[in-house]
């Protein structure tokens, strides 16, 4: 059996702020432009992709983030098995989307590390390293943004008030995690 | 015995909290709320420093950030030392140690004081006319000049303090919390606008909170009482955040501002620990209200710089706010009414005011009447012509002015004893931030001030920074502007009843006359840089006309205070001398920061491990555990080599290189860029972005590709694999990955939107272990017994899907070393375990991990280029002897057209060649220049060495180089001149090893 090892070594806990990695989470990038693509997605996943910029939609098992006019990220709402990297959802989408030339489906499960950050100081933390204006974002559940945090590209998804899931490329994650801990220690 | 000049209590000074500190090694005490300046004055200490050029004794002049003289070194000889700290802003704390600057051995006895006597030899610009003879003395002069330069001393140890940054977004930013700023902030916040109010002082309220004049009332209350009530309400207003001790440093375009928030400088040492010292606020505001007030001007007259000569408003603040008398025989010297208000205030506190010297003929306001009623002697139409007292003023001499103010009505001189001369030449609106943001000023003749005229959008100025100096004007005009700016109909300040003295007439004489010729006087314009009126006139005489040239020639306004006190006088003197209007001259350019910023504030947490971002591969922990040395490749940490038993790098690389070719090596190749390409037009897309042809690449096959910029120059390369009919995976160089993806996405969106192609980065999704060597197949076979590894089923430049322990992976049979080689790509979180399994499987074959240095060597033996090492953005494929990869049949690809420019087709361009040295053990230096002849000057450089190694597999040194016309010079001997020797080299084929590529199938 393979040993599954992520880049994050431990949780971060302060009063009013916790940071924890959720893993393994399936993540797929799906890309397409046409109405047929949107329809096929809806049929296969039983969910509607978000069409408004920087929003998300959720179904029972999956959540979709809008990343660009022809790009979405699908994530599993629950963790998946460490012992396999075959996903039924991916196989279905490859069969019904990319093989029929409607769009592209790419597994990015380990491209991104997912960190759950929650507590009343979430946005104080972001303010130390991100130029994005979170004033409206933080009050609208389901908001998504792609921005910079400590010079590193991240995707942020507001799941609840004062709770976000942050996605960062695996190679940057250890450094970002260290910086998050450093910044959080002085909030 | 220390004198105590604290004459009255103040609610801003906590006399129950006594604080001891040291200045110049001597112990003093003050109270919580004191600045170093107020505490020193309370202890009757006026002499605090020496001026820059003449080393004249200087004292505290102001009470704020405009201070030119009282700048001190704090915590000298420690890691926390900081130069040029303004004593007027530094709040005292237990353990503070501050010292005077620019003096030796002490501020009281300074050897540099001799410069004062040499001053006729040291006018403005003297260094352009001196230190030239004899020429060989220059280095001696330079030594002395360098040691004389500057005021304070830089620290020599790393700064242990913590600094940080914070981004703030608000609807309204109000800069300055004086009366107009408070009105603005309250109005904005109460209209549901998210408001941020900043002030550089520790208490808000500006000068109004300690104004105690009977003549200034708001709704029948003292202005200070009224304002205190407003301030107490502010704290409870939602939507309003107030930050004190926060100075706005810069005002950039589109309402992006930087401010420095001081968090711990005022705290005792034991309370500072591990807290953020200063924070840089990066503010984006929808609207900005500038309420930065105005700065009092001094007067320019002979010897106007002695310790004890202070601004009138500062003298008032020290008395009213800090409860400190700045002197016991105070005289005021003025050209307007504000000095009278100050004098009255001192008088009411029992501080003696001997006289007011007023250059105006008359003034008849409530302040002037009250001063006279109190029995303060007023000398109208008089000016100060001289002051005396080397280390502290003790006497002034005054004379009656002529009507035109340029000379004297009579030769009679009056001498007056004094120990503090409070001067005021009027007020200069603080328009620095306004102009930084791109605002344009206009000149108002009446009171000789520059005020805002044309605003950038979403910004206004109010209060005295907008040229309103009387309280009723301030409040009325502020509320009017606010209503329009914030789009509201009314404010709670619309109907205030305001009483204040009116018609404060000002008389401006930029350079007051003296009874001596100008050359024999010292009327200072820029206190910090010792620039006098004489210097300015000299600059004009020498032909400098523009204010920017005069500034630089005389250094007026170039100190840490940026000429806050003296710039207007410089303009005025230039205008008078050149007989032009001040308004026509304009101002010099205001640049950030408004007051000095520490490097720490600017850098924030981007220090140490956070100086740059680091990227790590999934196998990183294994490399560390196995004692790899690392190198930075872009932002990546890559294993460089794995020394064993104290090996040097050379020894380790030799061992690794030999092992890789003799048996098996393994490299962490995870950092290479990987781009997933899907879509029905994917082949066509590849045809356009690479120089070679892609349409006929079969599914399951790999091909090397070269990418050019539109100028025809190589900028990236890599192997791309066809995974399926419309599905490819492209690899790029490690450093080029992000650029390549960005460029390709840009082309798809802007140039070729019709193509059905989608790109996704998977660089981080996959870990890549590259196994090479004659035993690589055996190792892979142990890992994946079911995979057919025969050359027929799995030939070189092909790929296979596979599973290892139920985990899907892709295996590419490609080689960067020239050995039989496999790259296993697996999902990153299994990467380390894959690596361990490879090591385990390879143990019997002595599988040897190798790093980037060995990788470079092995590929160089095969003549493979590394983009960025052997190329520099000026090499075409033909230059690299890679004609074979440029398709002649394709209609077009990026860069094709540029390959046919006359310049890119020249035969004598630099071309890639191999080099061997006559002495096979001599390894060339990368970057070394190559020449054809030695004893020729100037010598023509033909090219340079791009890669160079000692090859253990060939037992000789090898190098790649680029040489002009090199491909036609095979066999030719050239030279590499180095320090102390010349190295003989021969041009050879760049493929040194296994030219037939036999080893790919071994």
């Amino acid at each position: 059996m393979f040993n599954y090892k992520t880049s994050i070594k431990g949780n971060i806990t302060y009063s009013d702020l916790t940071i924890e990695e959720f893993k393994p989470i399936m993540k797929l990038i799906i890309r397409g432009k046409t109405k047929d693509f949107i329809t096929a997605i809806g049929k296969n996943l039983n969910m509607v992709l978000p069409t408004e910029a920087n929003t998300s939609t959720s179904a029972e098992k999956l959540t979709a983030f809008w990343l660009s006019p022809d790009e979405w990220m699908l994530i599993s709402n629950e963790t998946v098995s460490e012992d396999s990297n075959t996903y039924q959802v991916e196989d279905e989408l490859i069969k019904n989307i990319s093989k029929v030339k409607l769009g592209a489906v790419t597994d990015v499960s380990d491209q991104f590390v997912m960190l759950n950050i929650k507590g009343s100081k979430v946005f104080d933390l972001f303010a130390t390293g991100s130029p994005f204006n979170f004033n409206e974002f933080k009050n609208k559940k389901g908001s998504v943004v792609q921005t910079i945090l400590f010079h590193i590209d991240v995707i942020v998804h507001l799941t609840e008030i004062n709770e976000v899931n942050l996605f960062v490329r695996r190679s940057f994650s250890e450094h970002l995690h260290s910086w998050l801990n450093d910044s959080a220690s002085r909030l | 015995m220390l004198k105590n000049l604290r004459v009255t209590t103040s609610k801003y000074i906590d006399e129950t909290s006594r604080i001891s500190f040291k200045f110049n090694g001597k112990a003093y005490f003050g109270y919580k709320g004191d600045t170093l300046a107020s505490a020193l004055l309370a202890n009757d200490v006026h002499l605090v420093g020496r001026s820059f050029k003449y080393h004249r004794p200087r004292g505290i002049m102001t009470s704020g950030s405009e201070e030119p003289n009282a700048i001190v070194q704090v915590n000298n000889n420690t890691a926390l030392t900081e130069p040029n700290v303004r004593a007027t802003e530094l709040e005292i704390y237990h353990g503070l140690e501050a010292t005077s600057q620019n003096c030796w051995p002490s501020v009281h006895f300074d050897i540099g004081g001799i410069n004062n006597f040499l001053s006729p030899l040291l006018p403005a610009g003297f260094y352009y006319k001196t230190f030239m003879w004899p020429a060989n003395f220059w280095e001696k002069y330079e030594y002395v000049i360098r040691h004389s330069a500057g005021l304070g001393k830089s620290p020599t140890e790393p700064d242990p303090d913590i600094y940080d940054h914070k981004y703030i977004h608000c609807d309204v930013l109000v800069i300055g919390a004086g009366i107009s700023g408070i009105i603005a902030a309250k109005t904005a916040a109460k209209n549901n606008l998210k408001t941020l109010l900043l002030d550089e002082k520790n208490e808000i309220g500006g000068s109004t909170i300690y104004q105690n004049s009977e003549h200034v009332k708001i709704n029948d209350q003292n202005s200070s009482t009224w304002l205190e009530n407003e301030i107490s309400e502010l704290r409870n207003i939602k939507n309003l955040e107030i930050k004190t001790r926060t100075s706005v440093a810069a005002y950039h375009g589109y309402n992006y501002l930087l401010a420095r928030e001081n968090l711990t400088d005022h705290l005792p040492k034991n309370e500072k620990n591990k807290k953020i010292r200063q924070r840089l606020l990066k503010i984006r505001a929808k609207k900005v209200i500038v309420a930065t007030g105005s700065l009092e001007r001094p007067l320019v007259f002979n010897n106007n710089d002695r310790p004890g000569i202070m601004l009138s408003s500062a003298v008032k603040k020290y008395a009213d706010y800090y409860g400190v008398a700045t002197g016991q025989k105070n005289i005021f010297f003025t050209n307007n009414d504000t000095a009278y208000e100050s004098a009255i205030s001192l008088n009411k506190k029992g501080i003696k005011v001997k006289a007011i010297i007023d250059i105006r003929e008359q003034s008849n306001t409530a302040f002037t009447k009250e001063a006279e009623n109190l029995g303060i002697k007023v000398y109208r139409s008089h000016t100060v012509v001289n002051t005396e007292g080397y280390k502290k003023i003790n006497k002034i001499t005054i004379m009656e002015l002529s009507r035109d103010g340029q000379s004297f009505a009579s030769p009679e001189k009056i001498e007056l004893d004094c120990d503090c001369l409070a001067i005021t030449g009027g007020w200069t609106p603080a328009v620095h931030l306004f102009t930084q943001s791109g605002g344009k000023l206009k000149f108002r003749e009446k009171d000789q001030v520059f005020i805002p005229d044309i605003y950038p959008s979403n910004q206004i100025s109010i209060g005295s920074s907008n040229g309103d100096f009387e309280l009723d004007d301030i409040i009325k005009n502020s509320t009017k502007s606010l209503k329009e700016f914030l789009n509201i109909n009314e404010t709670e300040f619309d109907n205030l009843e305001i009483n204040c003295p009116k018609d404060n007439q000002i008389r401006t004489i930029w350079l007051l006359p003296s009874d001596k010729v100008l050359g024999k006087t010292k009327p200072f314009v820029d206190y910090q840089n010792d620039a006098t009126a004489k210097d300015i006139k000299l600059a004009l005489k020498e032909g400098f006309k523009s204010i920017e040239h005069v500034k630089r020639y005389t250094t007026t306004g170039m100190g840490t205070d940026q000429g806050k006190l003296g710039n207007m006088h410089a303009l005025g003197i230039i205008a008078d001398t050149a007989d032009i209007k001040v308004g026509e001259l304009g101002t010099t350019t205001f640049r950030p920061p408004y007051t000095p910023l520490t490097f720490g504030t600017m850098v924030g947490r981007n220090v140490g491990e956070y100086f740059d971002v680091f990227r790590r591969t999934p196998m990183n922990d294994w490399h560390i555990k196995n004692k790899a040395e690392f190198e930075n490749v872009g932002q990546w940490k890559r294993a460089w080599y794995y020394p064993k038993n104290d090996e040097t790098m050379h020894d380790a690389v030799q061992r690794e290189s030999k092992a890789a070719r003799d048996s098996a090596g393994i490299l962490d190749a995870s950092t290479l860029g990987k781009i997933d390409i899907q879509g029905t037009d994917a082949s066509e897309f590849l045809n356009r972005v690479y120089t070679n042809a892609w349409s006929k690449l079969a599914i399951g096959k790999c091909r090397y590709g070269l990418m050019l910029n539109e100028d025809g120059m190589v900028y990236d390369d890599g192997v791309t694999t066809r995974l399926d009919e419309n599905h490819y995976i492209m690899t790029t160089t490690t450093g080029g990955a992000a650029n390549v993806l960005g460029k390709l996405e840009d082309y798809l969106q802007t140039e070729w939107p019709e193509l059905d192609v989608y790109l996704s980065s998977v660089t981080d999704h996959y870990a890549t272990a590259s196994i090479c060597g004659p035993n690589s197949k055996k190792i892979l076979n142990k890992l994946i017994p079911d995979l057919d590894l025969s050359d027929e089923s799995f030939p070189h430049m092909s790929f296979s899907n596979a599973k290892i322990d139920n985990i899907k992976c892709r295996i590419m049979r490609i080689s960067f070393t020239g050995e039989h080689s496999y790259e296993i790509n697996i999902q990153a979180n299994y990467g380390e375990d894959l690596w361990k399994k490879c090591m385990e499987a390879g143990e019997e074959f002595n599988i040897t991990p190798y790093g980037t240095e060995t990788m470079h060597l092995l590929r160089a033996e095969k003549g493979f280029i590394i983009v960025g090492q052997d190329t520099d953005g000026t090499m075409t494929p033909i230059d690299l002897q890679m004609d074979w990869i440029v398709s002649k049949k394709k209609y077009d690809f990026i860069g094709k057209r540029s390959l046919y420019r006359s310049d890119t087709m020249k035969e004598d361009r630099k071309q890639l060649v191999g080099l061997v040295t006559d002495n096979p053990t001599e390894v060339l230096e990368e970057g070394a220049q190559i020449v054809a002849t030695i004893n020729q000057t100037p010598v023509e450089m033909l090219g340079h060495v791009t890669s160079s190694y000692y090859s253990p597999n060939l037992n000789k040194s090898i190098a790649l180089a680029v040489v002009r016309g090199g491909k036609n010079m095979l066999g030719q001997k050239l030279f590499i001149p180095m320090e102390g020797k010349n190295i003989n080299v021969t041009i050879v084929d760049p493929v040194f090893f296994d030219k037939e590529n036999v080893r790919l199938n071994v």
Side-chain angles (χ1 to χ4, degrees), chain B residues 132-147:
Chain B
M132 293 179 195
W133 182 88
N136 58 3
F137 261 51
W138 167 244
E139 284 182 22
K140 293 183 177 39
Y141 294 140
E142 188 188 15
Y143 179 86
V144 172
I145 292 166
R146 284 193 186 280
H147 280 79

Side-chain angles (χ1 to χ4, degrees), chain A residues 129-149:
Chain A
S130 174
F132 183 70
N133 183 356
F134 285 96
N135 287 339
E136 286 180 24
F137 176 100
K138 64 186 180 190
N139 295 317
K140 199 174 153 204
K141 275 198 319 189
S143 295
V144 174
V145 68
Q146 296 165 86
T147 183
I148 302 272
L149 184 62

Side-chain angles (χ1 to χ4, degrees), chain B residues 488-590:
Chain B
I488 55 180
N489 293 325
E490 57 181 8
T491 76
E492 65 190 76
F493 307 101
D494 287 347
N495 301 312
L496 293 177
E497 201 182 302
I498 302 158
N499 289 311
C500 64
K502 299 294 294 176
D503 295 328
N504 177 15
Q505 300 293 324
I506 190 166
R507 185 185 191 189
T508 300
I509 301 175
W510 296 112
L511 172 61
L512 289 162
S514 171
D515 58 326
K516 298 188 175 65
V517 296
L518 185 63
K520 301 266 186 227
T521 62
K522 284 252 176 340
F524 287 90
V525 174
D526 184 311
Y527 290 88
Q528 194 164 110
N529 277 359
D530 271 342
T532 63
K534 188 177 74 172
D535 293 323
I536 291 172
K537 286 179 181 275
L538 175 68
L540 291 166
K541 203 167 153 190
E542 293 196 12
F544 297 100
K545 299 275 187 290
S546 153
I547 178 68
E548 298 281 6
H549 290 152
V550 173
K551 168 186 172 178
R552 282 151 180 81
Y553 190 68
T554 63
T555 71
T556 302
M558 293 179 71
T560 66
D561 62 337
Q562 290 287 285
K564 288 183 174 64
L565 298 188
N567 278 350
M568 281 305 302
H569 296 84
L571 284 178
I573 293 167
I574 293 171
D576 286 348
T577 308
D579 198 24
I580 52 178
K581 288 187 181 308
V582 175
E584 286 167 20
L585 265 179
T587 62
T588 52
T589 308
F590 294 100

Side-chain angles (χ1 to χ4, degrees), chain B residues 52 158 200 236 335 416 433 436 545 570 730 780 803 889:
Chain B
F52 177 51
E200 62 180 8
N236 301 322
N335 73 349
L416 298 169
L433 295 175
Q436 279 182 28
K545 299 275 187 290
M730 171 191 281
L780 191 61
K803 269 193 176 179
K889 291 184 186 164

Side-chain angles (χ1 to χ4, degrees), chain A residues 3 31 82 99 127 171 178, chain B residues 167 610 724 759 764 830 833:
Chain A
N3 233 351
R31 300 194 70 169
E82 289 183 3
K99 291 280 191 198
S171 60
S178 169
Chain B
Y167 292 86
Y610 303 124
D724 207 337
L759 309 177
D764 290 63
Y830 304 109
D833 214 33

Side-chain angles (χ1 to χ4, degrees), chain B residues 172-173 175 251-257 285-292 430-441 452-462 465-466 481 484-486:
Chain B
V172 176
L173 169 67
I175 309 173
Y251 192 156
H252 297 298
Y254 301 100
N255 282 353
Y256 177 61
L257 299 95
K286 290 185 184 154
K287 289 180 187 282
V288 175
I289 299 171
V290 179
T292 45
V431 294
H432 309 65
L433 295 175
F434 166 79
T435 47
Q436 279 182 28
S437 71
K440 301 289 175 231
L441 298 169
D453 182 25
I454 301 172
Y455 290 88
S457 53
N458 296 314
Q459 180 198 141
I460 55 168
S461 290
I462 56 173
S465 67
N466 198 37
S481 297
E484 199 181 310
F485 187 55
L486 300 176

Side-chain angles (χ1 to χ4, degrees), chain B residues 390-406:
Chain B
Y390 185 58
K391 291 183 194 166
K392 172 102 184 276
I393 191 170
N394 58 34
K395 193 192 293 186
I396 64 171
T397 305
I398 65 174
M399 293 176 71
E400 188 181 352
L401 279 168
S402 61
R403 271 237 107 153
D404 65 0
Q406 300 304 306

